[in-house]
Amino acid sequence: MASLITCPHCGVRPKEEFAIRGDASLVRPAPSASDEAWHDYVYVRANPRGRTVEHWHHVAGCRRFLVVERDTVTHEVYSVVDGAAAAREAQR
Amino acid sequence: MVRDYNNRHALDQKLRGAPKPAHADHLEVGHWQAIATVLAHVGLDAAVERALSSTPDLSLRYCGPGEWLVVSGVDTPVGLMRRLDMLCGTQAHVVDHSDGRVLMRLSGPSARQILAKGIGVDLHPAAFVLCGSTNVLCGHIAINLARTGEDVFELIVSRSFAESLFEDLMTMGRPFDLSAAFSE
Protein backbone atom coordinates (compact mmCIF):
# COMPACT_ATOMS: atom_id res chain seq x y z
CA MET A 1 0.00 0.00 0.00
CA ALA A 2 1.10 3.54 -0.60
CA SER A 3 3.01 4.31 2.57
CA LEU A 4 3.51 8.08 2.31
CA ILE A 5 0.63 10.44 1.61
CA THR A 6 1.20 14.13 0.92
CA CYS A 7 -1.66 15.77 2.80
CA PRO A 8 -2.50 19.20 1.30
CA HIS A 9 -2.72 20.65 4.82
CA CYS A 10 -0.04 18.76 6.78
CA GLY A 11 2.63 17.70 4.28
CA VAL A 12 4.14 14.23 3.85
CA ARG A 13 2.73 11.78 6.41
CA PRO A 14 2.89 8.02 7.01
CA LYS A 15 -0.24 6.04 6.14
CA GLU A 16 -0.72 5.07 9.81
CA GLU A 17 -2.14 8.54 10.41
CA PHE A 18 -5.01 7.91 7.98
CA ALA A 19 -8.17 5.83 7.84
CA ILE A 20 -9.35 4.65 4.44
CA ARG A 21 -13.06 5.29 4.05
CA GLY A 22 -13.71 3.61 0.72
CA ASP A 23 -14.39 4.30 -2.94
CA ALA A 24 -14.70 8.00 -3.83
CA SER A 25 -15.96 7.48 -7.37
CA LEU A 26 -19.48 6.36 -6.33
CA VAL A 27 -22.35 8.74 -7.11
CA ARG A 28 -25.30 8.77 -4.74
CA PRO A 29 -28.48 7.78 -6.61
CA ALA A 30 -31.60 9.96 -6.59
CA PRO A 31 -33.94 9.29 -3.62
CA SER A 32 -36.53 7.89 -6.02
CA ALA A 33 -34.05 5.50 -7.70
CA SER A 34 -34.81 1.79 -7.82
CA ASP A 35 -34.00 -0.55 -4.93
CA GLU A 36 -31.35 -2.23 -7.10
CA ALA A 37 -29.56 1.07 -7.66
CA TRP A 38 -29.59 1.80 -3.92
CA HIS A 39 -28.46 -1.72 -3.08
CA ASP A 40 -25.53 -1.39 -5.48
CA TYR A 41 -24.62 2.01 -4.07
CA VAL A 42 -24.72 0.91 -0.45
CA TYR A 43 -23.33 -2.65 -0.57
CA VAL A 44 -21.68 -3.61 -3.85
CA ARG A 45 -17.99 -2.76 -4.20
CA ALA A 46 -15.41 -3.61 -6.81
CA ASN A 47 -11.96 -4.86 -5.80
CA PRO A 48 -10.00 -2.96 -8.41
CA ARG A 49 -6.52 -3.70 -9.66
CA GLY A 50 -4.73 -0.56 -10.73
CA ARG A 51 -5.75 3.07 -10.45
CA THR A 52 -8.38 3.82 -7.78
CA VAL A 53 -9.91 6.90 -6.21
CA GLU A 54 -10.59 6.67 -2.48
CA HIS A 55 -11.65 8.78 0.48
CA TRP A 56 -8.93 8.93 3.12
CA HIS A 57 -9.54 10.52 6.51
CA HIS A 58 -6.52 12.17 8.13
CA VAL A 59 -7.55 11.04 11.60
CA ALA A 60 -4.38 11.92 13.47
CA GLY A 61 -3.62 15.13 11.58
CA CYS A 62 -5.91 17.82 10.23
CA ARG A 63 -8.98 15.51 10.55
CA ARG A 64 -10.04 16.40 6.99
CA PHE A 65 -11.38 13.99 4.38
CA LEU A 66 -9.03 13.70 1.40
CA VAL A 67 -9.53 12.22 -2.04
CA VAL A 68 -6.51 10.04 -2.83
CA GLU A 69 -5.87 8.67 -6.28
CA ARG A 70 -3.46 5.74 -6.07
CA ASP A 71 -2.43 2.54 -7.79
CA THR A 72 -3.14 -0.71 -5.95
CA VAL A 73 -0.45 -2.55 -7.94
CA THR A 74 2.50 -0.16 -8.08
CA HIS A 75 1.61 1.71 -4.83
CA GLU A 76 2.13 4.99 -6.63
CA VAL A 77 0.11 7.99 -5.40
CA TYR A 78 -1.07 10.21 -8.25
CA SER A 79 -2.92 12.95 -6.41
CA VAL A 80 -4.20 13.98 -2.99
CA VAL A 81 -6.92 16.66 -2.81
CA ASP A 82 -9.01 17.99 0.07
CA GLY A 83 -12.46 16.39 -0.04
CA ALA A 84 -14.34 19.71 0.12
CA ALA A 85 -12.26 21.08 -2.75
CA ALA A 86 -12.87 17.94 -4.80
CA ALA A 87 -16.63 18.19 -4.17
CA ARG A 88 -16.67 21.85 -5.26
CA GLU A 89 -14.73 20.90 -8.39
CA ALA A 90 -17.21 18.09 -9.17
CA GLN A 91 -20.20 20.42 -8.85
CA ARG A 92 -18.87 22.74 -11.50
CA MET B 1 -22.08 10.69 52.20
CA VAL B 2 -20.43 13.78 50.87
CA ARG B 3 -16.94 13.57 49.37
CA ASP B 4 -14.73 16.46 48.42
CA TYR B 5 -13.95 16.69 44.74
CA ASN B 6 -10.21 16.65 44.25
CA ASN B 7 -9.12 18.28 41.02
CA ARG B 8 -5.96 16.32 40.31
CA HIS B 9 -3.55 16.80 37.46
CA ALA B 10 -3.53 13.87 34.99
CA LEU B 11 0.13 13.10 35.78
CA ASP B 12 -0.09 13.67 39.54
CA GLN B 13 0.51 9.98 40.23
CA LYS B 14 3.51 9.80 37.89
CA LEU B 15 5.34 12.89 39.06
CA ARG B 16 4.63 12.71 42.76
CA GLY B 17 7.46 13.21 45.20
CA ALA B 18 10.32 15.62 45.59
CA PRO B 19 11.44 17.26 42.33
CA LYS B 20 14.61 15.71 40.94
CA PRO B 21 17.25 17.85 39.23
CA ALA B 22 16.70 18.32 35.49
CA HIS B 23 19.13 16.51 33.19
CA ALA B 24 20.35 17.77 29.80
CA ASP B 25 17.25 16.27 28.19
CA HIS B 26 14.24 17.21 30.24
CA LEU B 27 10.48 16.73 30.04
CA GLU B 28 8.58 19.52 31.77
CA VAL B 29 4.86 19.10 32.38
CA GLY B 30 2.77 22.26 32.57
CA HIS B 31 0.65 22.76 35.68
CA TRP B 32 -2.83 24.02 34.74
CA GLN B 33 -1.95 25.53 31.42
CA ALA B 34 -4.65 27.68 29.78
CA ILE B 35 -5.48 26.05 26.42
CA ALA B 36 -8.43 26.73 24.12
CA THR B 37 -9.56 25.48 20.71
CA VAL B 38 -10.60 28.02 18.11
CA LEU B 39 -12.52 26.89 15.02
CA ALA B 40 -13.17 29.68 12.52
CA HIS B 41 -16.59 30.03 10.91
CA VAL B 42 -16.73 29.08 7.24
CA GLY B 43 -14.71 31.48 5.12
CA LEU B 44 -13.31 33.48 8.04
CA ASP B 45 -10.03 31.54 8.47
CA ALA B 46 -7.79 34.43 7.49
CA ALA B 47 -9.61 37.03 9.61
CA VAL B 48 -9.47 34.86 12.73
CA GLU B 49 -5.80 34.03 12.22
CA ARG B 50 -5.01 37.73 11.84
CA ALA B 51 -6.90 38.58 15.05
CA LEU B 52 -5.17 35.81 17.02
CA SER B 53 -1.64 36.40 15.78
CA SER B 54 -1.87 40.14 16.49
CA THR B 55 -1.77 39.31 20.21
CA PRO B 56 1.83 38.73 21.31
CA ASP B 57 1.38 36.52 24.40
CA LEU B 58 -0.99 34.02 22.76
CA SER B 59 0.75 31.05 21.17
CA LEU B 60 -1.06 29.62 18.14
CA ARG B 61 -0.84 25.89 17.34
CA TYR B 62 -2.04 24.80 13.92
CA CYS B 63 -4.46 21.83 13.93
CA GLY B 64 -6.07 21.99 10.49
CA PRO B 65 -7.60 24.50 8.10
CA GLY B 66 -9.27 27.18 10.23
CA GLU B 67 -8.58 25.37 13.50
CA TRP B 68 -6.02 26.21 16.17
CA LEU B 69 -5.10 25.44 19.73
CA VAL B 70 -4.38 28.66 21.57
CA VAL B 71 -1.95 28.42 24.49
CA SER B 72 -1.44 31.24 26.94
CA GLY B 73 1.37 31.43 29.45
CA VAL B 74 -0.03 34.40 31.34
CA ASP B 75 -3.82 33.90 31.48
CA THR B 76 -6.02 31.76 33.69
CA PRO B 77 -8.40 29.53 31.71
CA VAL B 78 -11.28 31.91 32.40
CA GLY B 79 -9.16 34.91 31.45
CA LEU B 80 -8.10 33.27 28.18
CA MET B 81 -11.71 32.51 27.27
CA ARG B 82 -12.71 36.10 27.96
CA ARG B 83 -9.89 37.44 25.80
CA LEU B 84 -10.62 35.04 22.92
CA ASP B 85 -14.33 35.90 23.04
CA MET B 86 -13.42 39.57 22.70
CA LEU B 87 -10.88 38.90 19.93
CA CYS B 88 -12.88 36.60 17.68
CA GLY B 89 -16.07 35.58 19.50
CA THR B 90 -18.27 36.50 16.54
CA GLN B 91 -16.02 34.89 13.91
CA ALA B 92 -15.17 31.56 15.51
CA HIS B 93 -16.22 28.87 17.94
CA VAL B 94 -14.06 29.01 21.07
CA VAL B 95 -13.91 26.10 23.52
CA ASP B 96 -11.90 25.95 26.74
CA HIS B 97 -9.64 22.88 26.85
CA SER B 98 -7.48 23.74 29.85
CA ASP B 99 -8.69 20.72 31.84
CA GLY B 100 -8.95 18.47 28.80
CA ARG B 101 -5.39 18.78 27.50
CA VAL B 102 -1.97 18.34 29.03
CA LEU B 103 1.05 20.27 27.80
CA MET B 104 4.52 18.70 27.94
CA ARG B 105 7.71 20.50 27.03
CA LEU B 106 10.61 18.39 25.80
CA SER B 107 13.94 20.16 25.66
CA GLY B 108 17.57 19.22 25.26
CA PRO B 109 20.17 18.35 22.64
CA SER B 110 18.66 14.90 21.99
CA ALA B 111 15.02 16.09 21.79
CA ARG B 112 14.82 15.31 18.06
CA GLN B 113 16.28 11.83 18.42
CA ILE B 114 13.81 11.06 21.20
CA LEU B 115 10.81 12.30 19.23
CA ALA B 116 11.92 10.59 16.01
CA LYS B 117 11.31 7.23 17.66
CA GLY B 118 7.57 7.83 17.63
CA ILE B 119 6.83 10.60 15.15
CA GLY B 120 6.58 10.33 11.37
CA VAL B 121 7.43 13.91 10.37
CA ASP B 122 10.77 15.46 9.43
CA LEU B 123 12.11 17.13 12.58
CA HIS B 124 15.24 18.64 10.98
CA PRO B 125 15.58 22.33 12.00
CA ALA B 126 15.23 23.38 8.35
CA ALA B 127 12.09 21.29 7.79
CA PHE B 128 10.30 21.81 11.11
CA VAL B 129 10.82 25.53 11.50
CA LEU B 130 10.82 27.54 14.72
CA CYS B 131 7.24 28.30 15.88
CA GLY B 132 5.98 25.61 13.49
CA SER B 133 3.24 23.33 14.79
CA THR B 134 1.12 20.48 13.54
CA ASN B 135 -1.00 17.52 14.58
CA VAL B 136 0.94 14.24 14.42
CA LEU B 137 0.76 10.68 15.60
CA CYS B 138 3.26 9.81 18.37
CA GLY B 139 3.27 6.04 18.62
CA HIS B 140 -0.49 5.43 18.59
CA ILE B 141 -1.49 8.70 20.23
CA ALA B 142 -2.57 11.80 18.29
CA ILE B 143 -0.82 14.89 19.63
CA ASN B 144 -0.15 18.46 18.65
CA LEU B 145 3.58 19.07 18.25
CA ALA B 146 5.09 22.56 18.21
CA ARG B 147 8.64 23.80 18.09
CA THR B 148 8.96 26.69 20.53
CA GLY B 149 12.74 27.00 20.76
CA GLU B 150 15.96 25.86 19.09
CA ASP B 151 15.79 22.43 20.76
CA VAL B 152 12.47 22.82 22.55
CA PHE B 153 9.29 21.02 21.52
CA GLU B 154 5.85 21.28 23.11
CA LEU B 155 3.44 18.37 22.96
CA ILE B 156 -0.27 18.86 23.68
CA VAL B 157 -2.20 15.67 24.34
CA SER B 158 -5.70 14.76 25.48
CA ARG B 159 -5.86 14.35 29.25
CA SER B 160 -6.91 10.69 29.04
CA PHE B 161 -3.87 9.85 26.93
CA ALA B 162 -1.40 11.91 28.96
CA GLU B 163 -0.25 9.09 31.23
CA SER B 164 0.26 6.72 28.32
CA LEU B 165 2.16 9.30 26.29
CA PHE B 166 4.27 10.18 29.30
CA GLU B 167 5.32 6.57 29.74
CA ASP B 168 6.06 6.25 26.02
CA LEU B 169 8.20 9.39 26.09
CA MET B 170 10.14 8.22 29.14
CA THR B 171 10.83 4.89 27.40
CA MET B 172 11.88 6.70 24.22
CA GLY B 173 14.17 8.92 26.27
CA ARG B 174 15.74 6.26 28.49
CA PRO B 175 19.00 5.97 26.44
CA PHE B 176 19.36 9.76 26.71
CA ASP B 177 18.76 9.85 30.46
CA LEU B 178 15.55 11.86 30.10
CA SER B 179 14.30 13.41 33.33
CA ALA B 180 10.78 14.67 34.07
CA ALA B 181 9.14 17.11 36.47
CA PHE B 182 6.27 19.53 36.84
CA SER B 183 7.13 23.06 35.80
CA GLU B 184 7.32 25.61 38.59
Side-chain angles (χ1 to χ4, degrees), chain B residues 170-184:
Chain B
M170 293 316 283
T171 311
M172 284 147 69
R174 197 183 292 155
F176 306 95
D177 206 15
L178 181 68
S179 59
F182 276 124
S183 53
E184 291 312 312

Side-chain angles (χ1 to χ4, degrees), chain A residues 9-10 12-14 16-17 60-64 82, chain B residues 62-65 67 120-121 134-137 142-143:
Chain A
H9 309 295
C10 309
V12 181
R13 292 305 177 87
E16 283 74 16
E17 288 192 1
C62 53
R63 301 195 287 270
R64 297 284 290 192
D82 186 278
Chain B
Y62 177 81
C63 291
E67 190 182 345
V121 296
T134 181
N135 279 2
V136 288
L137 202 62
I143 61 162

Side-chain angles (χ1 to χ4, degrees), chain B residues 7-165:
Chain B
N7 192 4
R8 281 218 203 96
H9 191 276
L11 294 177
D12 225 23
Q13 298 267 325
K14 295 277 167 198
L15 293 171
R16 191 173 282 173
K20 295 179 197 83
H23 300 161
D25 293 301
H26 186 61
L27 185 70
E28 195 184 328
V29 180
H31 240 312
W32 311 124
Q33 187 83 43
I35 301 172
T37 297
V38 176
L39 177 66
H41 292 173
V42 176
L44 294 175
D45 300 12
V48 172
E49 189 170 17
R50 226 175 302 124
L52 291 175
S53 49
S54 63
T55 319
D57 44 87
L58 294 182
S59 171
L60 227 58
R61 309 289 159 84
Y62 177 81
C63 291
E67 190 182 345
W68 300 270
L69 279 170
V70 181
V71 181
S72 169
V74 292
D75 289 296
T76 60
V78 177
L80 176 65
M81 284 301 285
R82 202 175 299 133
R83 268 175 73 184
L84 288 175
D85 271 336
M86 274 181 355
L87 267 173
C88 54
T90 56
Q91 300 172 313
H93 305 284
V94 183
V95 178
D96 182 17
H97 269 160
S98 307
D99 286 321
R101 303 291 167 107
V102 173
L103 188 139
M104 305 183 195
R105 187 175 299 115
L106 181 68
S107 56
S110 313
R112 282 184 186 81
Q113 276 167 281
I114 294 170
L115 286 176
K117 293 184 182 187
I119 287 176
V121 296
D122 192 351
L123 295 169
H124 189 277
F128 203 94
V129 292
L130 202 62
C131 300
S133 57
T134 181
N135 279 2
V136 288
L137 202 62
C138 179
H140 290 284
I141 302 168
I143 61 162
N144 184 278
L145 179 74
R147 185 173 167 215
T148 52
E150 204 43 55
D151 291 324
V152 186
F153 290 90
E154 284 189 1
L155 295 80
I156 299 176
V157 64
S158 302
R159 181 193 168 94
S160 51
F161 285 114
E163 219 170 300
S164 189
L165 179 74

Side-chain angles (χ1 to χ4, degrees), chain A:
Chain A
M1 188 191 289
S3 59
L4 286 177
I5 300 293
T6 309
C7 171
H9 309 295
C10 309
V12 181
R13 292 305 177 87
K15 72 171 194 311
E16 283 74 16
E17 288 192 1
F18 299 85
I20 303 179
R21 306 305 297 172
D23 196 346
S25 62
L26 295 171
V27 180
R28 192 184 175 87
S32 57
S34 67
D35 283 355
E36 283 74 44
W38 271 102
H39 180 270
D40 286 358
Y41 172 72
V42 175
Y43 297 111
V44 181
R45 293 288 178 274
N47 185 14
R49 178 187 158 85
R51 224 165 154 132
T52 51
V53 184
E54 285 172 321
H55 283 303
W56 284 47
H57 186 209
H58 198 180
V59 185
C62 53
R63 301 195 287 270
R64 297 284 290 192
F65 270 90
L66 310 173
V67 176
V68 176
E69 192 178 4
R70 67 183 182 99
D71 198 304
T72 54
V73 180
T74 62
H75 306 313
E76 193 179 340
V77 178
Y78 297 105
S79 71
V80 184
V81 200
D82 186 278
R88 267 198 303 275
E89 200 65 27
Q91 270 179 2
R92 243 177 241 161

